[in-house]
């Protein structure tokens, strides 16, 4: 037989639900940051391919610049999609009000990464 009071069970269930929501929020944050790391690797690899590889033939130079540009653009797309998915999680779960500070900071980080990536792409071809 269960000795706990019904109110205690309700409180315990609410606490467990709140903890589960926190775990999901942190998992969403980790996933977002992992995608940012992947995007940074693409951008860094793309800039490295453009600037560090040297070839004697014009066709090889064109191919390396094309591949490097594709990698930088892929990194920018990864930044954009990762933030979009991060935002959609909060929108779907109706918890945007409680995370506006975190959401704004991550939007700023994503925007800065996109701008820096575009600048690196422009500098790489200069």
């Amino acid at each position: 037989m269960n000795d706990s009071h019904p109110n205690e069970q309700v409180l315990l269930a609410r606490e467990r639900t709140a903890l589960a929501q926190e775990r999901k929020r942190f998992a969403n944050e980790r996933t977002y940051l992992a995608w940012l790391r992947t995007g940074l690797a693409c951008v860094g690899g793309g800039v490295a391919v453009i600037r560090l590889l040297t070839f004697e033939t014009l066709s090889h130079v064109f191919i390396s610049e094309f591949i490097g540009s594709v990698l930088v653009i892929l990194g920018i797309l990864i930044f954009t999609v990762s933030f979009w998915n991060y935002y959609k999680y909060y929108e779907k779960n109706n918890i945007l009000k409680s995370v506006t500070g975190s959401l704004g900071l991550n939007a700023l980080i994503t925007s800065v990464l996109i701008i820096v990536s575009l600048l690196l792409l422009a500098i790489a071809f200069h």
Side-chain angles (χ1 to χ4, degrees):
M1 204 174 250
N2 195 350
D3 293 336
S4 25
H5 200 57
N7 288 338
E8 290 176 27
Q9 289 177 343
V10 169
L11 290 174
L12 184 59
R14 286 184 182 153
E15 182 181 346
R16 287 181 180 167
T17 300
L19 290 173
Q21 288 290 358
E22 280 296 305
R23 283 192 302 272
K24 285 171 52 177
R25 188 175 73 82
F26 287 133
N28 187 37
E29 189 84 21
R30 281 190 308 272
T31 302
Y32 167 71
L33 293 173
W35 278 112
L36 284 188
R37 189 174 56 240
T38 302
L40 282 169
C42 284
V43 170
V47 171
V49 166
I50 294 170
R51 294 298 287 176
L52 298 178
L53 292 180
T54 56
F55 296 103
E56 293 180 15
T57 64
L58 191 59
S59 63
H60 290 154
V61 171
F62 175 75
I63 291 170
S64 71
E65 289 177 350
F66 176 76
I67 291 172
S69 300
V70 167
L71 284 171
V72 172
I73 292 167
L74 179 64
I76 292 170
L77 286 173
I78 288 172
F79 296 149
T80 306
V81 171
S82 67
F83 181 76
W84 181 256
N85 286 334
Y86 177 78
Y87 174 80
K88 283 307 218 179
Y89 165 79
Y90 292 117
E91 187 179 61
K92 182 179 87 172
N93 291 304
N94 294 324
I95 51 176
L96 284 173
K97 291 176 186 171
S98 64
V99 293
T100 52
S102 171
L103 199 60
L105 178 63
N106 287 337
L108 177 68
I109 289 170
T110 303
S111 300
V112 167
L113 286 173
I114 289 170
I115 292 168
V116 168
S117 299
L118 290 170
L119 288 173
L120 283 173
L121 186 60
I123 290 169
F125 281 111
H126 213 19

